[in-house]
Amino acid sequence: MQIDRERFLGAMDKQSDIGGTEGGGLHRLTLSDADRRARDWFLDQLEAEGLDTRIDEFGNMFGRRAGTEPDAEPVLVGSHLDSQPYGGIYDGALGVVAALEFVRTLNEQDIATRRPVEIVNWTNEEGSRFQPAMQGSGVWAGAHDIEQEYASTDADGNTLEEALEEIGYRGETPAEPQEAYDSYLELHIEQGPNLDEADKDVGVVTGMVAFMWGSITFRGEANHSGSTPMHHRSDALVAAADVITAIRRIPGTLGPSTVGTAGYVDVKPNSINVIPGEVTFTWGFRDPDDDVVAEAAERVLQEAEAAAKREGVDWEWEERMEASSVDFAKRTVDAVQTAADDLGYDSMQLVSGAGHDATHLASICDTAMVFSVSEDGKSHSEVEYTNPDDCYKAADTLANAALTLAEPVAE
């Protein structure tokens, strides 16, 4: 099958106007007013295609196209519409729009499939306003307790449950699979440089890296920065700086695929004239090997203990999120690979270094992903860019792989 290039790219343009920024990016935080408007747009598209729509109690949105065998296990295709703060227009949304174009093409070409087809928009994949990331798919797949996730709060103290109700997207369907699913496919931008550097058309994703996020808090003593001698100081920021530097260096001692990041720092009282009394910062490590991630986490805690001793400060740590590595099922990976080959696209297989909703879906059914090229590997910023040709090739690959799994019925 061949999707409609102009219709697909036009839909990408329309969604990017909702929460679009002056810098050409997207500011569409989960459960914000911009997210509500994007959801309204998506729901309109589902209904225009005659799909049976439902919204579950966590705000996950589904549209179902019937198969010739109603009781056959459906194929699920989709991604997410929420964005990072001042992020790019492709991250997540490209996968939702590609799933929509897949169903539009099935309808336009009057292609019947044995299996029902569902497309989905997952709630809060990004984890930027409420934590953890991949929250909606995690609740749906049984990885998270819904009541606990309802109680998660944003920086202003609003709970996720309140935000869902405020935008009108707390549905009535239980946030769990209502039946067995055959498979799940997700298209996403790579968010890394591998495809671009290798001059490939599309990526065939074989699995996900393991990762662990945590935070460390150092508590020293706030004091006057001019009159406190150096040997009388208990400087929480110095301890934090030592560990943050270690986070940058630890991956190089573990392996070529290991990455580590300290992405958030909160300094109190954060004044030019006061020795910092308390500092909280986050750390995160990723690697295809679960044991390597565990070793990196152990190493950073050892560094924290040593830094606390040197600076005479107290410390504590909290684990924020952990996910084991995931190997996608061979038959779904093969469906993506075959689609790319049959379409004549130059592809490469790779493991995702970023987390995606497919992480949770792999525990429910056979799962795989398609990656589109990210120019210069940029993402989570307004400069994120995937050119129209690469958007189309990835969506074309997704549609044909999904069609194979859905099992077209000959007239």
Side-chain angles (χ1 to χ4, degrees):
M1 68 184 297
Q2 186 174 22
I3 65 173
D4 187 317
R5 174 190 170 97
E6 296 310 313
R7 181 175 61 196
F8 164 61
L9 295 176
M12 277 298 296
D13 287 341
K14 287 179 182 177
Q15 69 80 27
S16 68
D17 287 338
I18 306 172
T21 67
E22 292 182 0
L26 199 63
H27 188 72
R28 200 158 67 202
L29 301 187
T30 192
L31 308 185
S32 64
D33 183 66
D35 188 28
R36 176 192 60 77
R37 289 184 283 122
R39 286 166 172 268
D40 290 348
W41 170 83
F42 182 57
L43 187 58
D44 287 344
Q45 310 313 303
L46 299 182
E47 292 174 347
E49 293 303 319
L51 304 187
D52 182 13
T53 62
R54 70 181 189 277
I55 301 167
D56 72 23
E57 57 191 341
F58 208 76
N60 298 314
M61 303 174 65
F62 299 85
R64 186 183 183 102
R65 184 180 192 264
T68 59
E69 294 184 19
D71 294 333
E73 296 178 353
V75 173
L76 185 61
V77 189
S79 190
H80 63 96
L81 287 171
D82 65 309
S83 82
Q84 287 285 333
Y86 298 93
I89 68 171
Y90 306 92
D91 179 0
L94 182 63
V96 174
V97 175
L100 178 62
E101 176 57 32
F102 168 52
V103 169
R104 282 175 167 165
T105 305
L106 290 177
N107 288 344
E108 179 184 62
Q109 299 182 13
D110 198 24
I111 298 173
T113 59
R114 186 178 76 82
R115 299 184 182 280
V117 170
E118 287 192 353
I119 59 179
V120 60
N121 167 41
W122 299 110
T123 295
N124 191 29
E125 192 273 352
E126 293 293 0
S128 54
R129 181 182 177 193
F130 300 98
Q131 286 79 51
M134 303 174 292
Q135 199 171 24
S137 59
V139 167
W140 190 81
H144 303 316
D145 175 73
I146 189 169
E147 295 301 329
Q148 181 175 333
E149 302 313 318
Y150 273 159
S152 61
T153 57
D154 64 11
D156 296 321
N158 303 301
T159 69
L160 185 141
E161 185 176 21
E162 292 167 343
L164 262 178
E165 292 176 345
E166 184 174 343
I167 69 166
Y169 273 91
R170 180 178 178 177
E172 297 180 355
T173 304
E176 59 188 24
Q178 302 299 294
E179 60 189 311
Y181 280 77
D182 172 75
S183 51
Y184 172 71
L185 292 182
E186 180 176 348
L187 185 160
H188 208 280
I189 59 172
E190 183 196 350
Q191 302 180 288
N194 296 292
L195 295 174
D196 193 28
E197 290 180 350
D199 197 25
K200 298 296 184 180
D201 295 321
V202 294
V204 179
V205 187
T206 61
M208 315 285 286
V209 297
F211 66 90
M212 188 183 296
W213 293 347
S215 64
I216 293 172
T217 298
F218 287 112
R219 292 186 179 89
E221 184 179 6
N223 212 337
H224 196 289
S225 64
S227 57
T228 306
M230 299 304 288
H231 64 281
H232 278 288
R233 299 185 179 213
S234 295
D235 192 325
L237 183 55
V238 170
D242 285 348
V243 180
I244 290 169
T245 301
I247 291 168
R248 180 68 172 83
R249 293 173 177 167
I250 286 170
T253 69
L254 295 176
S257 300
T258 314
V259 296
T261 306
Y264 168 89
V265 180
D266 180 32
V267 181
K268 295 177 181 177
N270 205 25
S271 168
I272 194 172
N273 203 33
V274 183
I275 299 165
E278 181 176 310
V279 177
T280 297
F281 63 94
T282 60
W283 52 267
F285 291 101
R286 306 182 192 221
D287 190 273
D289 189 324
D290 294 28
D291 292 338
V292 171
V293 171
E295 182 177 348
E298 181 61 31
R299 291 268 294 277
V300 81
L301 297 182
Q302 291 172 357
E303 293 284 351
E305 184 174 16
K309 235 177 238 188
R310 283 194 301 271
E311 295 303 319
V313 298
D314 296 324
W315 74 288
E316 62 184 25
W317 75 284
E318 176 187 359
E319 183 179 309
R320 297 285 186 91
M321 189 174 181
E322 180 179 8
S324 299
S325 59
V326 175
D327 292 324
F328 291 152
K330 183 178 185 302
R331 78 177 185 95
T332 38
V333 172
D334 286 349
V336 175
Q337 184 66 69
T338 299
D341 292 344
D342 289 349
L343 292 164
Y345 299 146
D346 190 9
S347 66
M348 67 181 288
Q349 295 194 356
L350 69 170
V351 175
S352 174
H356 301 287
D357 293 307
T359 300
H360 293 308
L361 269 292
S363 68
I364 298 296
C365 59
D366 290 346
T367 297
M369 293 186 68
V370 182
F371 271 172
S372 67
V373 178
S374 289
E375 188 169 294
D376 296 326
K378 304 292 187 183
S379 184
H380 283 186
S381 73
E382 292 175 305
V383 301
E384 172 185 284
Y385 182 69
T386 297
N387 72 52
D389 284 343
D390 288 329
C391 288
Y392 174 78
K393 289 172 184 176
D396 202 19
T397 301
L398 176 84
N400 282 273
L403 179 61
T404 296
L405 294 170
E407 301 179 20
V409 177
E411 294 293 336

